[in-house]
């Protein structure tokens, strides 16, 4: 390891990599590079990389003149350089250009770059703490089967520190910084092949290369390594902070949900869930979903269990069965109850809630949970008191344990929403928007002076030049033959669109667009302005099959009116699904950037598109 | 203290009160009552309460024959008895009757009862640990200014334990059990007068006496003691568990939100927020709301701050200004930045985010936060790593500190939603539903054979006997004079309701009902089946003023269409508010259990009720 810019002042950040490598037991050679002193923190120093007369595996660069250091890496055939120095893409246009030049040159030289603006890497399985992150001041962080790729260097420390405090160990932690060269996707690929890594965790501020990440996630899935993500940007404010901090694009958050689902990545909502979910995922495959998910709860503390049950209910998870054991139950009874549930078809996962005994008698309180014969079914524990040794004991036994009821429910919700990566759908390429096979309302353009047309009455009249036609008032609905001439006059145009009035049971909106981050997505919602106001729509990566479109329709609350709600007449949900699937095939037409059917009238028998808008790329 | 049923086996639960009283420094006399031995854990034992020949302040009852013990409390003039024993209202009808008899007898005897099914009380300010809760195995839990009233005995231990681990101290903690006599409300009253208590925290599974709790919360407000609550039952599943556990009624959760708001109680969403919010509330009054709330964020870790900012955004809180200090900033610069924001009008609260230095250099990292000159503005800290000594240091300085970004945002959201208790509104009592002054659509009942009526055309025809008229198909809309006879025939009834067709810009629904837990509530939503599907409505305790009704309308997303959304024509929001306020006055008519206007047509000028349904009590 060559540390370029290593400081001899132990209090400085730039002294940390050397201190941490030694402190955490790095067995190899360290070459501090510092032109102003012959030795640094007791080890021989070198004026530059050139002067190191031994093989170097990895250079850690902390100086301003990153370019010169990379040149020397090339000369010395150092295969990889981690760049802590900042002043690149995160600073604006000039920095972006500087970064592009750096990467181009590094490629010519055959040097791979982690960063710039990276805090480095920590490899606990092999005792390599090559980082400036202050979390390594800690003594012996535990090694474990989770590996983390983080776009935030400080959050690498945060997650390591929170995990270590309760025995949740990591194998590798990587701060990717600006991802100028080595990015999240490539690291996921490497971790998919890493023997020490059982679960891959991602802390993301943005997704820089969705296609590559999708491929890497599929590779991890094939290797049996679940991938979980905490992604900033659920709210606009969060997205802005993340963006200003990283200089990256922000897509719509719902599109990211669709993306993660599409490639089999488990998304958690809360920060600590990211580390707490690892044991729940390790060695597991995405659950087969045949019914509403059911979590069995075993508890000796009704109030404590209820805090989790409450959140599970909010997440749409059934709690069944619920076993409230008395405080007089023996550990053996507790264990047998757990084993019965783990083996039963009644539930899809088991949660043990442990009360105050977890704090003062860890072994005794956790014995039933640790010793119960396990099955493929997820087993987790929620400890109501502050109980770090119990958390540690469970972590060491590979059992998922949660500190808060909210993270516990979040993890179960994420687990049950987990899907295997979708097979790339194989659909015929449509000839154009009109060839998608979506029935459209009969229409014609009628022109002055006579405005003749062949559309049967009653009709709708629409001006041709307004974007939001309803807003602009350029629409007359339900016009009879008698009223036609007067209605045309009132619009005051030389050309109007005449359209057959279509009535149905409900209106839907079907949308398609190319999200700047994740790519083509399709959405379906209930029609009308409320879809936008309520954000009541389902969104997926395009294309989708009819079966997937049916699942989407199921998610839209406003479309309950055609799914048999109360005694309302049922709409042709299958025809709607067909239209959604057809519309999603626009992703095969690169000329289309955005398109919308609004409204799509849903009848008891079929659907009719009334207004289709297409925006070209 | 008399401990009835005190065990001489230190491992037993019933030995705990004696052990804990001594362990935590109780200075008074303890009288173990145990007929089978002369001494218990080294102190003289008594065969029964009668045989104690000294004054007793409090009896803690752990035996099955609670009735006999209470009789003796009466004889010995012991003013209060805490009953740990179970077998009362929580077990079903027989237990309910047993409990009622017990309380009746205790009242005759002049003995107040805490419980039954209570785990007792902990008074850390005065070193009285009169409880069976195992959390008292801990050494020296810190005393502090928060007091807790809990319907769950185990959660008392959970919250004490979690608080103690990070220096958040309590004054009093009370497990109320079944609340047969002493209930949550009376304890809030007592704590409002308690010199050691600055903030009152409630862990609730249900609300047993809403009227009393409302009065007590107002008293606490007048005494300058904020009250915060964590209440189970946000989801149906949680409510069911809480109910089966306590045998209490469950009202609708949204009605509880309205109730807490009405009486000035701050409701938190997450369990740990309940203890973490205490320092944020201590000494504060409900915020004056003049704009969308703004939290200024100061951080040296962009990624860490973004985790909170993201959640604040989801809660509708603006983050402004955002100060991302570099890692090179000095503590003095940090402190000055904080002080500038605490004194500025730009923001309504200040959040300091502290990174890994919080873990290894607590004093240094927190110096700016601890030393900054405070103002009335809330100041809080979020620590990204595991950093218990920093949490303790902040707790000791009275500064709110959060372990998770989610609880931090939850606390700010709860703080800004906090309102002073509403003054009891003074409205005239209406003569009846028809005297509320809400304009109704002109209508008449037309009867066979001629179905004559004087309602102007077009009209709507409705059958008179269907509950959900639309579902049943017993409605004809927009019937012209020519179509009238045919339409009446089609309905096939001898009597029909003929109503003038009313058209407007939107439909609203206005509802009133007496919630079984909190009492009369009023709601407003957008009309149509979607209100129910989307749960998009605003709900308040009745009655409400027009100004409050305007605030409610503002909360309903679906009503954006009449508030000036896009270029849609504005509806008469004021007339709608008038109608909501008028409808809320139904709470003065005890004969009305439930009522609904659906739809209430909102025009650009006025509103018209089309269908009003009233259910009598």
């Amino acid at each position: 390891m060559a540390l370029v810019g290593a400081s001899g002042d132990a209090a400085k950040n730039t002294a940390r990599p050397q201190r941490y490598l030694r402190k955490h037991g790095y067995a190899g050679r360290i070459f501090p590079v510092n032109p102003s002193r012959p030795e640094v923190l007791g080890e021989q120093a070198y004026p530059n990389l050139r002067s190191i007369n031994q093989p170097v595996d990895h250079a850690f660069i902390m100086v301003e003149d990153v370019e010169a250091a990379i040149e020397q890496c090339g000369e010395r055939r150092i295969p990889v350089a981690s760049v802590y120095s900042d002043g690149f893409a995160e600073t604006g246009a000039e920095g972006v250009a500087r970064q592009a030049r750096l990467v181009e040159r590094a490629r010519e030289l055959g040097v791979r770059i982690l960063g710039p603006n990276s805090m480095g890497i920590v490899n606990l399985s092999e005792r390599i703490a090559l980082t400036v992150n202050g979390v390594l001041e800690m003594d012996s962080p535990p090694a474990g089967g989770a590996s983390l790729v983080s776009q935030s260097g400080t959050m690498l420390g945060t997650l390591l520190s929170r995990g270590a405090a309760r025995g949740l160990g990591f194998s590798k932690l990587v701060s990717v910084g600006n991802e100028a060269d080595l990015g999240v996707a490539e690291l996921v690929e490497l971790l998919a092949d890493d023997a020490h890594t059982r679960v891959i965790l991602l802390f993301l501020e943005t997704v820089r290369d969705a296609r590559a990440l999708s491929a890497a996630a599929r590779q991890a899935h094939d290797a049996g390594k679940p991938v979980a993500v905490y992604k900033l940007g659920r709210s606009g404010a969060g997205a802005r902070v993340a963006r200003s901090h990283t200089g990256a694009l922000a897509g719509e958050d719902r599109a990211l949900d669709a993306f993660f689902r599409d490639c089999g990545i488990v998304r958690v909502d809360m920060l600590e869930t990211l580390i707490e979910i690892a044991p729940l995922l390790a060695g597991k495959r995405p659950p087969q979903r045949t019914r509403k998910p059911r979590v069995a709860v075993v508890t000796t503390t009704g109030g404590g269990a209820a805090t989790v049950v409450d959140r599970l209910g909010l997440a749409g998870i059934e709690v069944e069965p619920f076993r409230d054991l008395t405080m007089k139950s023996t550990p053996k009874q507790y264990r047998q109850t757990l084993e019965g549930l783990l083996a039963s078809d009644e539930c899809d996962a088991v949660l043990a809630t442990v009360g105050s005994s977890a704090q003062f008698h860890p072994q005794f309180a956790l014995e039933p949970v640790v010793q119960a014969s396990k099955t493929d079914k997820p087993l987790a524990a929620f400890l109501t008191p502050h109980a770090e040794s119990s958390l540690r004991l469970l972590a060491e036994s590979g059992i998922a344990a949660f500190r808060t009821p909210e993270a516990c429910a979040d993890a179960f919700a994420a687990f049950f929403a987990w899907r295997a990566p979708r097979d790339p759908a194989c659909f015929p390429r449509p000839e154009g928007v009109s060839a998608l096979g979506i029935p459209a309302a009969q229409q014609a353009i009628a022109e002055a002076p006579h405005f003749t047309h062949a559309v049967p009455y009653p009709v709708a009249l629409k001006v041709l030049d307004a974007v939001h036609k309803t807003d602009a008032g350029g629409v007359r609905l339900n016009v009879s033959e008698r009223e036609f001439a007067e209605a045309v006059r009132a619009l005051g145009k030389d050309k109007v669109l005449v359209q057959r009035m279509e009535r149905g049971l409900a209106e839907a909106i079907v949308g398609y667009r190319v999200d700047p981050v994740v790519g083509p997505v399709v959405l379906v919602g209930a029609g009308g302005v409320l879809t936008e106001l309520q954000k009541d729509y389902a969104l997926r990566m395009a294309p989708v099959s009819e079966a997937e479109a049916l699942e989407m329709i199921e998610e839209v609350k406003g479309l309950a009116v055609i799914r048999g709600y109360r005694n309302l007449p049922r709409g042709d949900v299958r025809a709607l699904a067909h239209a959604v699937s057809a519309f999603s095939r626009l992703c095969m037409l690169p000329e289309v950037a955005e398109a919308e059917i609004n409204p799509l009238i849903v009848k008891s028998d079929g659907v009719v598109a009334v207004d289709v808008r297409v925006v070209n790329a």
Side-chain angles (χ1 to χ4, degrees), chain A residues 88-238:
Chain A
F88 291 87
E90 80 285 0
T91 61
E94 238 174 85
V96 169
R98 182 185 173 198
Q99 181 169 308
R101 287 192 305 269
L102 181 75
V103 172
E104 201 190 335
R105 183 62 186 143
R107 293 224 165 106
E108 287 166 9
L109 295 166
V111 179
R112 299 300 306 269
I113 290 182
L114 182 71
N117 205 11
S118 156
M119 282 208 175
I121 61 157
V122 182
N123 175 343
L124 294 172
S125 307
E126 287 148 310
R127 300 179 158 270
I128 307 173
L130 183 62
T131 181
V132 293
N133 193 303
V135 73
L136 274 298
E137 298 292 344
M138 125 179 20
D139 295 327
S140 357
S147 285
L148 171 76
V149 181
S150 178
Q151 284 176 337
S152 160
T154 55
M155 293 315 274
L156 181 155
T158 290
L159 294 167
L160 174 55
S161 137
R162 290 179 180 236
R166 44 192 287 188
L168 284 171
F170 289 89
S171 176
K172 299 167 181 80
L173 304 99
V174 185
S175 159
V176 293
N178 293 0
E179 300 183 78
D181 175 19
L182 281 161
V184 172
E186 194 168 347
L187 286 155
V188 169
E189 269 180 39
L190 291 168
L191 293 170
D193 279 343
D194 176 47
H196 294 108
T197 298
R198 299 187 67 205
V199 180
I200 301 168
L201 309 178
L202 310 177
F203 181 97
L204 299 188
E205 294 170 333
T206 185
V207 171
R208 285 200 179 86
D209 186 344
R211 191 183 294 258
L213 179 54
S214 176
R218 281 159 211 273
Q219 203 170 314
H221 173 82
D222 293 342
K225 313 269 175 96
V227 183
V229 66
Y230 173 94
K231 161 87 183 53
L232 285 171
R234 285 210 182 265
S235 78

Side-chain angles (χ1 to χ4, degrees), chain A residues 495-506:
Chain A
K495 281 185 185 181
V496 296
L497 182 73
V498 181
Q499 207 173 41
R500 183 175 185 159
M501 264 315 282
E502 292 285 355
R503 290 189 182 288
L505 301 169

Side-chain angles (χ1 to χ4, degrees), chain A residues 270-527:
Chain A
M270 300 176 63
L271 182 61
E272 285 201 333
T273 315
L274 185 62
I275 50 174
E276 294 186 324
I277 202 174
L280 198 70
L281 296 176
K284 295 283 190 301
R285 306 300 287 171
Q288 299 295 323
R289 185 176 142 167
T290 51
R291 61 175 172 204
K292 210 171 160 185
R294 282 192 196 163
V295 175
V297 174
V298 184
T299 186
T300 49
T301 154
T307 60
V308 184
V309 170
D310 215 17
R311 306 298 282 208
L312 288 172
L314 289 177
I317 296 170
E318 288 182 354
V319 175
E320 195 70 50
F322 183 84
R323 301 258 192 270
D324 197 351
L325 303 178
T326 67
M327 285 172 76
K328 288 156 203 149
S329 306
T330 63
K332 190 175 167 198
Q333 286 168 325
Y334 200 117
R335 199 193 75 215
Q336 285 170 339
T337 305
L338 286 176
E339 286 175 342
L341 293 167
L342 282 167
S344 130
D345 288 336
E346 280 184 288
C347 60
D348 308 305
V350 180
L351 173 68
T353 312
V354 186
S356 58
S357 53
Q359 187 170 11
F360 304 105
H361 313 288
Q363 292 288 356
F364 181 76
L366 302 181
E367 192 193 296
V369 184
V370 172
Q371 293 185 353
S373 314
K374 306 302 185 292
T375 63
D376 278 348
K377 202 174 281 181
L379 168 66
F382 166 57
L383 311 181
T384 72
H386 176 81
E388 292 196 334
S389 22
S390 281
L391 289 172
R392 228 179 336 262
L393 210 145
L394 288 165
E396 281 155 15
S397 311
I399 296 166
F402 296 90
R403 263 198 81 260
T404 66
E406 295 83 12
C408 180
D410 182 28
F412 276 117
F415 178 83
F416 286 116
W418 185 22
R419 297 283 172 276
R422 271 204 323 164
D423 287 328
C426 189
F427 294 103
R429 185 179 180 284
E431 292 300 305
V433 177
S434 55
L436 293 170
I438 301 171
Q442 188 184 344
Q443 63 180 41
I445 291 175
E447 295 187 46
H450 301 299
F451 293 96
T452 46
H453 67 87
V455 180
Y457 288 95
V459 297
L461 298 185
K462 301 179 181 177
V463 298
L464 291 163
D465 47 7
V467 177
H468 286 295
K469 298 190 186 76
T470 324
D471 300 4
V475 173
R476 292 288 179 282
L477 296 179
N478 216 15
V479 176
S480 68
E481 189 159 7
R482 253 193 341 196
E483 298 159 329
F484 183 74
E486 174 54 34
V488 165
R489 199 163 21 246
L491 288 177
K493 302 280 177 184
D494 282 347
K495 281 185 185 181
V496 296
L497 182 73
V498 181
Q499 207 173 41
R500 183 175 185 159
M501 264 315 282
E502 292 285 355
R503 290 189 182 288
L505 301 169
E507 295 186 357
I509 174 172
V510 181
Y512 167 82
R513 72 167 185 282
V514 181
D515 182 87
V517 172
V518 307
V521 293
V522 63
L523 74 81
V524 60

